Amino acid sequence: MAELQTHRLALDGLRCAGCVSRVEAALSGVDGVTQATVNLVDRTATIQAPASVSAGSLIAAVQAAGYDASPVQGLENIAEQQAGEERHMRTLLRRFVVAACAGIPLLLNMFFDFLPAAQEQAAIWLLIGLLTLATMLYSGRHFYIGAWRGLRHHSATMDTLIATGTGAAWLYSMVILLWPAIIPASLAGMAGHTWFDAALVIIALINLGQALEVRARGKTSESIRRLIGLQASTARVLRDQQEVDIPMAEVVVGDVIRVRPGEKVPVDGELLEGSSTVDESMLTGEPMPVRKQVGDRVVGSTINIAGSFLYTARHVGADTVLAHIIEMVKNAQASKPRIGRMVDRVAGVFVPTVLIIAVLTALIWLNFGPEPRISFALVAAMSVLMIACPCALGLATPISLVVAVGKAAEFGILIRKGEALERASKLTTVVLDKTGTITTGKPVVTDILADDPDQLLRMAAALESGSEHPLAAAILARAGDPAPLACESFQAIAGQGIGGIVAGQSLLLGNMALMMAHGIGMDDGWRDRMQALAAEAKTPMLLACDGRIMGIIAVADPIREGAQEAIAGLQAQGLKVVMLTGDMRKTAEAVAARVGIRELFAEVMPEDKDATIASLQAAGEVVGMVGDGINDAPALSRADVGFAMGAGTDVAIASADITLMRPSLDGIVVAIALSRATLRNIKQNLFGAFIYNSLGIPVAAGLLYPIAGVMLNPMLAGAAMAMSSVTVVSNANRLRLFRPEG
Amino acid sequence: MLVVNLIGIGLIALIIWWFWLYRPGNGVAAAPGQVIEVRVRDGVYEPSLIDAIAGKGISLKFTREDETACAGQVIFPELGIQKELPIGRPVVIRLVPPEPGEYAFHCQMGMYRGILRAHSG
């Protein structure tokens, strides 16, 4: 039998469990595939197939089923990419130094005249010209090759502008050296000046600008590097009853790994033996360490604080939570918000337009300019070519996005697409789901009103031990050890409560209707207490023993810590905050009042939640919906921006536009503030780049000459161009300093 | 001066024709399901013109050899495709041109340009 290979594909377009089976069926249908499993959580497919089955055929099968797929990539390539950037920067700096060393002496000669005049010693200047050419070809080779290849392919880039400008400067200088007679006598003086220095200095400056840009760009991806840096390098694995340190790449699913205090958890897995507290802040932004016990999930790259434990590796390599986060951040950084699309259209026609402007500029100076016309024409055309910078335009949007998405990840906020960030900045209303969003979604016992509260709790726990109701879990959790007493003849009475026999006593636990139905008398005191608890958004239950009321036990879904402050924060941002819940209006109103929400939709069935969002949108609101990402999926996707509030490091909910890895509403406030800051930054960049080009080009063309008698030196134009990209990147880098207010 | 002006105007006409109006003849023909290798080098996509059949899937394998940051992405705006191109690491993009016509692809600044031309089957 042929040896089987494992392929891993990242899937796109999966929405539901139905999609899983369709993709699995499509993959299983490919000849030779022995096993295909799709994981809806991390949206990957793992396929076992002989080596003869190519990844391409598997991807084609997924696409035929209406989804998209691509091979899952490891983490290392980002490190390679960085090494490549580093090399690129060094090359650019070397080219800068060479061109500057050659160009600066020539530039200084303009002021100090230490070289003989070109008219007197043409041979020396011809030699200088040839040396200039050699330097230009060394330091600016990439511009000339790029321009030439672009020309052959009918495309014009930055290289075209630089190559044309510097090439024209060199060619003109050589012509006046070799055939000085070409220049009419009337154009003597400045016309006799060569422009070798300009060509060299421009090439030097642009190389320097590009090197600075590469460095600044590197900073923009600092967040993703930080994430990559979180990875452990080795794991202590149990092999043949021995603990051995092995490189991460050799850790396989099923390995039992030992983690000691202070060490990094190497990969994702399940705790097998021991217990500890783990610092997950690097992934979730949650500062409080999380307690881990046998059976709990531990996540790679988090730090073990207290105890030593053994755990089983469940996800390794590109499958880990960290790898998914990195992948998501990368994808979002590469996506393009709408604001950037207009620029694309401009950039497409930019360079040929600048070439035309340069020719027109030269013609105007030649026809109407003062003497020496040729010099003026050349200077103006060169300056136009040098100053125009499509890069600043093209960079304006993506570079800010890269910084913002990375920054968000630092706060435990995962942004799926750049467009989500753009829309988040325009929200007018934020709809919060109640259960699991404003509240923790895990009810707890809040009050026990009885003469003997412990006795009441024990009796309630015994009754509830047979129930699967969420309220039962709260009571059992509160009762804790020892195990509850046995309950016989358990019965659940829908809408009222439960009943049974515990230790020979007949017990009932439920609402007032249950008591009345069983003819149990209730004085006004119990009634008042029941109503008072209900008014506090709690669920009170009466416990009756052998026909007599023993007390009340109240359960409530506690409001998340900081919810009130976060909601106030959203309101301070000018947003309307609305609560959406399936709960009874009374309970909902009580919760809303406690957290400061004035508008709410109660008693909304889960399937109607998206209709509620739609109605808000119809009223002209731009709606952000915050939910747990599982029950609210349709509402989240209906909303302009869906925020899923994560349960720690579970990136299952990555289907939402924005995922908060920390279950806290602060994340929404931060995400919206960051989105606004980002959009502002992008607008500054675009404005700056547009203004720069639309003012710079006319000035370079000599528009100021008739007014103020000044011409822009092409070298200054080159410097301005080199700095314009650096400015855009540096402005985007300011976003790295973003701190949420308050 | 007349000659100079004529040369200048001719140059402008040449720029307009060469960069905007020129329509290339035959591109590299991609059979359905075929993988076409596209190199991203020195400011251009090679090949920059690819002929495909509408409605049939093809794969374009982009290999970026160009270290310029501009080459870092390839975008097919009409097809809603946007992919990052790491240096030296081939990235396969599978796509189906939905109907006959021209589908441009370009870098994030629209200066590296190519065309996917879909013909009716």
Side-chain angles (χ1 to χ4, degrees):
Chain A
M1 192 179 149
E3 199 175 318
L4 291 183
Q5 262 191 350
T6 304
H7 292 273
R8 284 191 27 83
L9 299 178
L11 301 172
D12 202 11
L14 289 196
R15 258 164 243 102
C16 54
C19 306
V20 171
S21 51
R22 272 196 290 280
V23 173
E24 282 180 349
L27 286 167
S28 306
V30 176
D31 263 354
V33 169
T34 55
Q35 197 189 9
T37 11
V38 169
N39 184 340
L40 181 62
V41 174
D42 58 13
R43 285 155 204 280
T44 57
T46 309
I47 305 109
Q48 300 277 342
S52 58
V53 175
S54 69
S57 60
L58 296 171
I59 289 166
V62 175
Q63 286 174 333
Y67 304 91
D68 202 5
S70 55
V72 170
Q73 291 180 352
L75 293 179
E76 324 77 78
N77 55 356
I78 302 169
E80 275 172 35
Q81 181 98 5
Q82 286 162 16
E85 273 171 21
E86 198 60 33
R87 270 198 310 277
H88 184 40
M89 196 181 79
R90 279 199 299 271
T91 311
L92 289 169
L93 282 177
R94 205 169 45 238
R95 289 171 180 162
F96 155 71
V97 169
V98 171
C101 287
I104 290 172
L106 291 180
L107 185 64
L108 291 176
N109 181 55
M110 225 167 81
F111 304 104
F112 303 111
D113 275 332
F114 47 80
L115 288 168
Q119 291 85 344
E120 296 159 15
Q121 291 284 346
I124 291 181
W125 278 95
L126 278 176
L127 186 66
I128 291 173
L130 292 176
L131 285 174
T132 301
L133 181 66
T135 316
M136 283 164 72
L137 290 180
Y138 172 77
S139 293
R141 189 178 50 231
H142 51 305
F143 304 132
Y144 300 110
I145 294 176
W148 173 242
R149 295 175 80 97
L151 193 66
R152 277 175 46 209
H153 284 78
H154 301 267
S155 74
T157 66
M158 279 296 296
D159 296 340
T160 317
L161 298 178
I162 299 161
T164 317
T166 56
W170 184 83
L171 211 63
Y172 168 82
S173 305
M174 287 305 275
V175 166
I176 58 168
L177 286 176
L178 289 171
W179 301 285
I182 282 188
I183 311 294
S186 63
L187 303 185
M190 195 187 170
H193 175 69
T194 60
W195 287 97
F196 296 133
D197 51 349
L200 289 171
V201 170
I202 286 166
I203 286 178
L205 287 173
I206 292 169
N207 274 310
L208 177 66
Q210 288 187 345
L212 292 177
E213 189 187 320
V214 170
R215 168 163 292 176
R217 270 170 182 260
K219 284 194 192 140
T220 62
S221 12
E222 202 175 55
S223 310
I224 206 157
R225 283 172 204 206
R226 194 186 61 89
L227 284 172
I228 295 163
L230 289 178
Q231 249 200 334
S233 51
T234 59
R236 184 169 299 115
V237 175
L238 274 186
R239 294 266 163 95
D240 304 323
Q241 265 96 49
Q242 295 269 316
E243 287 181 9
V244 283
D245 279 335
I246 61 167
M248 288 292 292
E250 290 173 22
V251 179
V252 292
V253 171
D255 269 342
V256 174
I257 302 169
R258 160 79 65 197
V259 186
R260 292 191 291 215
E263 286 182 346
K264 229 173 227 184
V265 176
V267 295
D268 300 358
E270 195 182 302
L271 207 137
L272 195 67
E273 192 187 298
S275 66
S276 183
T277 46
V278 174
D279 177 4
E280 294 186 341
S281 61
M282 57 292 292
L283 294 184
T284 62
E286 169 63 58
M288 286 298 289
V290 184
R291 179 109 195 110
K292 299 284 179 184
Q293 286 171 321
V294 173
D296 283 349
R297 188 167 167 229
V298 287
V299 180
S301 80
T302 57
I303 293 172
N304 177 28
I305 295 178
S308 165
F309 62 85
L310 282 176
Y311 80 103
T312 315
R314 292 280 181 239
H315 299 284
V316 300
D319 260 351
T320 59
V321 167
L322 177 67
H324 285 297
I325 292 174
I326 292 171
E327 193 60 31
M328 223 171 123
V329 170
K330 272 176 61 193
N331 285 341
Q333 286 179 334
S335 68
K336 179 160 271 185
R338 244 170 299 172
I339 193 167
R341 299 208 182 122
M342 173 264 303
V343 178
D344 286 349
R345 284 196 286 275
V346 176
V349 295
F350 189 88
V351 176
T353 308
V354 172
L355 289 174
I356 292 171
I357 294 174
V359 175
L360 281 175
T361 302
L363 284 182
I364 291 169
W365 279 100
L366 284 171
N367 283 289
F368 309 108
E371 300 297 350
R373 291 181 194 182
I374 291 184
S375 263
F376 277 115
L378 183 80
V379 166
M382 253 165 73
S383 298
V384 167
L385 292 172
M386 287 305 124
I387 206 160
C389 186
C391 274
L393 273 179
L395 277 174
T397 312
I399 204 81
S400 301
L401 197 64
V402 166
V403 183
V405 170
K407 191 73 204 174
E410 280 179 29
F411 290 104
I413 301 164
L414 297 182
I415 294 166
R416 204 169 155 71
K417 272 193 174 165
E419 222 169 295
L421 202 65
E422 186 176 16
R423 284 197 304 261
S425 72
K426 298 186 178 129
L427 292 179
T428 57
T429 297
V430 174
V431 178
L432 303 173
D433 186 49
K434 188 195 123 252
T435 311
T437 305
I438 297 175
T439 64
T440 62
K442 292 180 187 124
V444 292
V445 172
T446 54
D447 304 79
I448 303 173
L449 307 178
D451 293 338
D452 183 352
D454 291 342
Q455 168 74 1
L456 191 83
L457 186 63
R458 265 198 304 280
M459 288 200 278
L463 262 184
E464 293 283 17
S465 61
S467 167
E468 285 169 5
H469 199 274
L471 298 180
I475 292 172
L476 288 169
R478 175 68 175 267
D481 296 332
L485 301 164
C487 172
E488 292 162 37
S489 316
F490 174 82
Q491 54 168 331
I493 305 119
Q496 296 189 343
I498 53 175
I501 296 169
V502 175
Q505 293 173 307
S506 170
L507 300 184
L508 285 170
L509 180 68
N511 53 19
M512 292 194 276
L514 178 75
M515 301 302 150
M516 284 191 280
H518 286 77
I520 298 169
M522 232 180 320
D523 61 30
D524 285 346
W526 290 123
R527 242 181 255 277
D528 292 346
R529 275 177 255 179
M530 286 289 280
Q531 276 161 4
L533 288 166
E536 291 171 28
K538 293 170 182 170
T539 309
M541 289 168 283
L542 287 157
L543 186 108
C545 178
D546 290 335
R548 201 167 64 86
I549 297 207
M550 304 295 290
I552 296 173
I553 189 158
V555 172
D557 186 0
I559 288 171
R560 280 190 195 281
E561 218 174 294
Q564 198 179 343
E565 292 78 5
I567 288 164
L570 289 172
Q571 287 163 339
Q573 286 176 334
L575 293 158
K576 187 161 86 177
V577 182
V578 177
M579 188 170 96
L580 182 63
T581 178
D583 283 3
M584 306 295 287
R585 177 156 284 275
K586 240 195 170 94
T587 320
E589 277 170 357
V591 172
R594 280 179 60 192
V595 295
I597 293 180
R598 286 179 286 276
E599 199 172 321
L600 62 94
F601 294 95
E603 296 164 37
V604 181
M605 301 305 283
E607 59 272 24
D608 296 333
K609 284 185 178 172
D610 63 328
T612 310
I613 302 287
S615 69
L616 282 167
Q617 287 169 327
E621 302 284 352
V622 185
V623 183
M625 163 82 198
V626 190
D628 61 12
I630 299 155
N631 303 317
D632 317 312
L636 288 185
S637 57
R638 167 80 65 183
D640 296 287
V641 183
F643 294 87
M645 203 140 92
T649 45
D650 192 354
V651 274
I653 38 191
S655 56
D657 296 318
I658 297 180
T659 300
L660 307 179
M661 297 187 63
R662 185 159 45 120
S664 154
L665 283 173
D666 310 341
I668 311 283
V669 185
V670 176
I672 293 175
L674 180 63
S675 72
R676 290 180 177 177
T678 308
L679 259 284
R680 207 162 42 236
N681 195 271
I682 290 176
K683 283 177 186 163
Q684 287 161 354
N685 281 347
L686 284 177
F687 179 77
F690 266 111
I691 287 291
Y692 166 80
N693 279 300
S694 47
L695 288 184
I697 294 175
V699 168
L703 201 69
L704 288 184
Y705 188 81
I707 308 162
V710 288
M711 285 291 282
L712 188 66
N713 186 307
M715 284 182 265
L716 277 181
M721 195 277 264
M723 288 321 291
S724 67
S725 298
V726 178
T727 310
V728 164
V729 179
S730 306
N731 186 45
N733 261 326
R734 287 193 314 120
L735 278 176
R736 289 192 305 138
L737 307 174
F738 170 84
R739 289 276 171 276
E741 284 165 27
Chain B
M1 228 27 239
L2 183 69
V3 179
V4 174
N5 285 339
L6 284 177
I7 291 174
I9 290 164
L11 208 54
I12 292 172
L14 188 68
I15 293 168
I16 293 173
W17 176 74
W18 190 257
F19 292 114
W20 286 329
L21 302 180
Y22 175 82
R23 282 284 162 266
N26 291 329
V28 171
Q34 196 183 340
V35 179
I36 300 285
E37 306 230 0
V38 182
R39 282 167 67 185
V40 186
R41 200 158 68 114
D42 300 322
V44 289
Y45 296 116
E46 282 181 332
S48 60
L49 179 67
I50 296 153
D51 283 311
I53 296 168
K56 306 276 185 200
I58 58 160
S59 294
L60 302 178
K61 184 161 140 193
F62 284 85
T63 309
R64 170 182 165 201
E65 295 171 16
D66 197 325
E67 286 174 330
T68 321
C70 313
Q73 277 182 23
V74 61
I75 304 166
F76 289 76
E78 289 99 343
L79 302 175
I81 297 172
Q82 180 158 5
K83 293 275 179 195
E84 210 178 313
L85 305 178
I87 299 168
R89 194 172 286 263
V91 172
V92 180
I93 297 179
R94 282 154 294 274
L95 46 85
V96 185
E99 47 197 52
E102 287 192 351
Y103 299 90
F105 55 98
H106 55 76
C107 68
Q108 55 181 334
M109 295 178 208
M111 282 187 280
Y112 291 56
R113 304 185 80 84
I115 291 173
L116 171 69
R117 217 162 36 182
H119 305 273
S120 50

